[in-house]
Amino acid sequence: QKIEAENGCVQMILFSGKAVGPIFNGEIMPGGVDTQQYGADDSMTLSARYMINGTDNQGHTCNLFIENNGSGKVGEELITYPKIFTDSSALKYLELAKLTGQITNEDEQLIIKIFQDE
C-alpha cells in the first residue's frame, strides 16, 4: 500500500522471513509490516513491527516482538533502534538492552542485523 502526497510518500510493506543467530532462531509470524515515509527533502523514516516464533539459546520455544525504528537520508546508511519484548526467560535481558540495527542487502534479500551496544 502506498500514498504519494505533495510533500513525500508513505508505504506499508507486509513481509515475512526468518531470524538466524546464536541466541535465537525462528520465523516471522504473519502480519509483519514496515512503514516507510519519504520526505520531499530526501529524508526517510521507517518503523517495522513484527513477531517471531522460534527457539532461544536454551532450546525453549518462545516469541519475540520487535519494533525497529530509524531515520536518515535516502541513499545513506540507515541505523535503527530496535525494541524487543519476549516471553523467553533466557532472552529477557534484551527488553532492557540498548540495541542498534543495521540494514543491508545481501543476494537481493533485505537483512537486518541487531547488535547489543557495549
Side-chain angles (χ1 to χ4, degrees), residues 14-15 28-33 49-51:
L14 295 174
F15 62 91
I28 295 175
M29 298 165 69
V33 63
R49 290 175 180 84
Y50 50 104
M51 291 191 181

Side-chain angles (χ1 to χ4, degrees), residues 22-25 54-62 88-91:
I23 64 169
F24 179 82
N25 291 284
T55 306
D56 66 20
N57 56 357
Q58 303 298 309
H60 298 113
T61 300
C62 64
S88 165
S89 58
L91 302 179

Side-chain angles (χ1 to χ4, degrees), residues 23 25 28 34 37 49 58 84-85 87 94 109 112:
I23 64 169
N25 291 284
I28 295 175
D34 183 15
Q37 299 178 46
R49 290 175 180 84
Q58 303 298 309
I84 295 177
F85 291 94
D87 56 6
L94 293 172
Q109 291 186 356
I112 300 175

Side-chain angles (χ1 to χ4, degrees), residues 102-113:
Q102 178 185 28
I103 300 172
T104 61
N105 195 329
E106 298 175 15
D107 298 324
E108 298 184 28
Q109 291 186 356
L110 188 66
I111 306 291
I112 300 175
K113 297 179 182 178

Side-chain angles (χ1 to χ4, degrees), residues 42-93:
D42 284 334
S43 63
M44 176 189 175
T45 62
L46 71 78
S47 181
R49 290 175 180 84
Y50 50 104
M51 291 191 181
I52 309 173
N53 177 261
T55 306
D56 66 20
N57 56 357
Q58 303 298 309
H60 298 113
T61 300
C62 64
N63 299 285
L64 298 179
F65 167 80
I66 301 176
E67 179 177 350
N68 197 10
N69 297 301
S71 62
K73 291 284 187 181
V74 174
E76 294 179 2
E77 181 180 22
L78 183 65
I79 302 298
T80 65
Y81 301 95
K83 177 69 179 163
I84 295 177
F85 291 94
T86 182
D87 56 6
S88 165
S89 58
L91 302 179
K92 67 181 177 181
Y93 70 93

